[in-house]
Amino acid sequence: MLPLSKYTLQVHQCLHYLTPLKNGLPTSCVKRWASSSVPRITTHYTICPREHDKRWEGVNMERFAEEADVVIVGGGPAGLSAAIRLKQLAAESNKEVRVCLVEKAAQLGAHTLSGACLEPRALQELFPDWKERGAPLNTPVTGDKFGILTEKHRIPVPILPGLPMNNHGNYIVRLGHLVSWLGEQAEALGVEIYPGYAAAEVLFHEDGSVKGIATNDVGIQKDGSPKGTFERGLELHAKVTIFGEGCHGHLAKQLYKQFNLRENCEPQTYAIGLKELWIIDEKKWKPGLVEHTVGWPLDRHTYGGSFLYHLNEGEPLVALGFVVGLDYQNPYVNPFREFQRWKHHPSVIPTLEGGTRIGYGARALNEGGFQSLPKLTFPGGLFVGCSPGFMNVPKIKGTHTAMKSGMLAAEAIFKQLSDDNLQSSTQGLNVPEYEEALRKSWIWKELYSVRNIRPSCHGPLGLYGGMIYTGIFYWILRGKEPWTLKHKGLDSAQLKPAKDCTPIEYPKPDGKLSFDLLSSVALSGTNHDHDQPPHLTLKDDSIPVNRNLAIFDGPEQRFCPAGVYEYVPLESGEGSRLQINAQNCVHCKTCDIKDPSQNINWVVPEGGGGPAYNGM
């Protein structure tokens, strides 16, 4: 039984199950759907408030609350490292610290997706005896290759010592398995882990400081009305709340605005990473080999590239994937189909031919780096990991920096919790010492040294200009050049109108190396309860057709890697409407990032929904 079961029993006892009221829709939603030309799409309470909805009159909205010292949102490498380090420090000092961690996936690691080539530096600091503890790092890197692809050829590029792409001493891992292992270590130390409970709301004290979070309500019909089994979420209050939601967290977005945390940094920029797992012919299997490429099928002005890692997991397994920067300009770019096309390159075919694809998934990743880091602390909380964006882009690695950020946060928090003479100006503790420690750590030095590599790709030579910059300035000066380049701005603002761009003709999948989208999503194990309000919410239901389709030819139907967005004909036969297949969503967040109208707001579905990755 999960630790939360004893709390949910109490929640059941204090809630009343009421049948839905049939008194119509809330006024705010009626206005949104008044025009017959705008079909109703969004029913989520974040857009259609329940206090204005007569169907919710009389429903008991009381929530059960639990108190903890520290609450952590997100069971990824950063959140789990923070939880582990807090309990390690508490044990060393013989103090009792209650640490509660909530994770929206049904089990730890089920929503985790990464390449992943791991630099073990932070893990070594957290658990010097990680090998004896059985950490699933089974594949040390034995070979490192990098190349530029043309349509028919591969041009090898040497990886010189000291360049970010050098993987000597690193390990190829299935990050979901490592996250699951970290969860076992955390539970053994006494961390309370609640998988299947999505943090849906930030709670505040009267003085404005963060009080904690509330998990999502359950038992809501697709039309936004309460089911007979409706239950309110659980409130978790804490002295400090750590937000480690991963890239583009939906609570982090709210907190950035609430505390104006991005006023002194550049906008975050992103990429989408798509990944597959294959079992290949054992004769072609080279455990420990790491391969990266740039170039074809992308043009030089579209940032991106591929990876192909040979794992040593007892069977001839390879992890391969394709990354596309979300600052691309042509609305006809389809990252999923670029990935499928890449697999037909003459240098890739021999590895995959005769193999079997067994896994698929996708996730957005941060690319803003040093310039895009927000203020990390605020009264009652702080950010760790990929939520603020500690990824080292030229290294294509963020797990080691995410883990270290969680450890530094834990150390700063524990120092305050242990101070018997601490006087806080707010009810929720502010921990500026965390940001100070981070600035003195190897994370800051590492991110600062590579800060100009990604934005150097914005010049006339595109990606190749970035490679030249890396070779000259990074390799020689190690990031000590006295300037800092800027990014182009928000990824959502980069698309050109469809009339100014050339449609891209993608080859049809052959069912052997390349595949269609829906069969791919099926391999992700994605599942959501169909009878719940779509968690892909629209601020205005008319914008997709009136702006996105009219100007950009509906780019959401191409940039989504799961077939969530689909323009279908109206029943009248005149015009189209947007259909949202929310049950397909793999929680990558790309739509929230790239939507040119910034009309899509991704929120959490009912806990446990989403992909069910196995070691992705």
Side-chain angles (χ1 to χ4, degrees), residues 116-395:
C117 192
L118 176 73
E119 186 173 312
R121 185 174 187 176
L123 179 63
Q124 182 72 32
E125 292 180 17
L126 187 62
F127 289 118
D129 60 343
W130 59 266
K131 290 183 180 179
E132 291 76 13
R133 288 173 174 263
L137 277 66
N138 305 315
T139 313
V141 174
T142 58
D144 217 349
K145 293 183 179 181
F146 184 76
I148 299 172
L149 300 186
T150 65
E151 187 172 354
K152 299 294 182 182
H153 300 94
R154 182 183 185 278
I155 304 168
V157 177
I159 303 176
L160 301 173
L163 286 176
M165 295 288 286
N166 192 306
N167 283 294
H168 179 73
N170 294 335
Y171 291 80
I172 305 170
V173 300
R174 299 174 71 174
L175 192 60
H177 290 172
L178 178 60
V179 164
S180 180
W181 178 84
L182 285 171
E184 293 171 6
Q185 310 308 306
E187 285 188 311
L189 289 166
V191 178
E192 298 175 35
I193 299 177
Y194 305 150
Y197 287 82
E201 181 184 346
V202 181
L203 305 175
F204 296 92
H205 290 289
E206 289 185 4
D207 64 3
S209 62
V210 171
K211 184 179 185 179
I213 59 96
T215 62
N216 60 291
D217 297 343
V218 296
I220 305 174
Q221 296 187 66
K222 191 171 185 177
D223 66 1
S225 63
K227 297 178 183 177
T229 54
F230 170 74
E231 295 181 21
R232 282 288 262 163
L234 174 73
E235 289 192 6
L236 285 169
H237 302 167
K239 296 168 184 173
V240 182
T241 304
I242 298 175
F243 293 88
E245 301 170 276
C247 176
H248 206 65
H250 87 290
L251 296 183
K253 284 203 315 177
Q254 299 171 34
L255 290 165
Y256 291 149
K257 293 179 181 177
Q258 179 78 14
F259 294 104
N260 200 20
L261 301 173
R262 301 202 66 94
E263 65 174 333
N264 296 317
C265 69
E266 290 193 40
Q268 185 61 263
T269 65
Y270 303 88
I272 179 174
L274 305 104
K275 179 182 177 181
E276 293 178 351
L277 286 175
W278 283 63
I279 295 176
I280 62 170
D281 184 339
E282 194 163 351
K283 296 175 184 177
K284 305 172 183 178
W285 182 40
K286 302 172 184 176
L289 177 61
V290 167
E291 298 185 69
H292 293 100
T293 69
V294 296
W296 188 89
L298 302 177
D299 61 37
R300 72 175 186 273
H301 295 296
T302 305
Y303 185 86
S306 74
F307 64 87
L308 200 161
Y309 303 155
H310 292 246
L311 288 140
N312 189 10
E313 300 273 340
E315 58 184 344
L317 191 68
V318 294
L320 57 145
F322 203 79
V323 175
V324 179
L326 289 178
D327 57 351
Y328 66 81
Q329 297 180 322
N330 187 341
Y332 293 108
V333 167
N334 185 317
F336 172 80
R337 299 188 75 174
E338 296 289 354
F339 178 27
Q340 299 306 309
R341 180 159 65 165
W342 165 79
K343 288 184 288 180
H344 285 273
H345 192 272
S347 68
V348 180
I349 291 173
T351 300
L352 300 181
E353 214 163 29
T356 303
R357 187 178 65 149
I358 62 169
Y360 168 80
R363 185 70 169 95
L365 50 143
N366 306 92
E367 288 199 336
F370 182 83
Q371 294 92 318
S372 300
L373 288 176
K375 189 176 186 299
L376 298 169
T377 63
F378 43 91
L382 51 81
F383 298 119
V384 296
C386 289
S387 183
F390 290 120
M391 180 174 166
N392 183 325
V393 179
K395 270 190 180 181

Side-chain angles (χ1 to χ4, degrees), residues 528-591:
H528 297 85
D529 180 2
H530 179 73
D531 191 17
Q532 63 175 307
H535 62 282
L536 295 314
T537 69
L538 303 178
K539 299 171 188 175
D540 185 333
D541 287 347
S542 69
I543 283 179
V545 169
N546 294 343
R547 187 170 191 271
N548 286 12
L549 184 61
I551 299 175
F552 303 103
D553 197 28
E556 54 270 69
Q557 60 191 332
R558 288 180 287 274
F559 60 57
C560 173
V564 170
Y565 300 95
E566 185 179 4
Y567 284 94
V568 299
L570 289 169
E571 291 181 3
S572 64
E574 297 179 3
S576 301
R577 64 177 177 86
L578 179 67
Q579 178 172 293
I580 296 180
N581 306 308
Q583 64 273 21
N584 286 6
C585 178
V586 294
H587 297 202
C588 73
K589 313 291 182 68
T590 302
C591 58

Side-chain angles (χ1 to χ4, degrees), residues 470-482:
T470 303
I472 297 174
F473 291 104
Y474 180 82
W475 195 57
I476 297 173
L477 299 177
R478 291 294 190 271
K480 294 178 182 177
E481 60 267 33

Side-chain angles (χ1 to χ4, degrees), residues 393-411:
V393 179
K395 270 190 180 181
I396 325 176
K397 292 175 184 60
T399 303
H400 65 302
T401 50
M403 291 179 67
K404 180 63 174 178
S405 71
M407 294 156 64
L408 291 171
E411 290 163 5

Side-chain angles (χ1 to χ4, degrees), residues 3 7 28 73 128 254 258-259 291 301 308 331 360 417 424 426-427 440 508 514 523 561 581 599 606 614:
Y7 305 132
S28 57
V73 179
Q254 299 171 34
Q258 179 78 14
F259 294 104
E291 298 185 69
H301 295 296
L308 200 161
Y360 168 80
L417 295 179
S424 176
T426 55
Q427 283 185 272
K440 297 174 183 176
K508 291 183 178 180
S514 53
L523 289 176
N581 306 308
N599 185 49
E606 289 189 0
N614 178 15

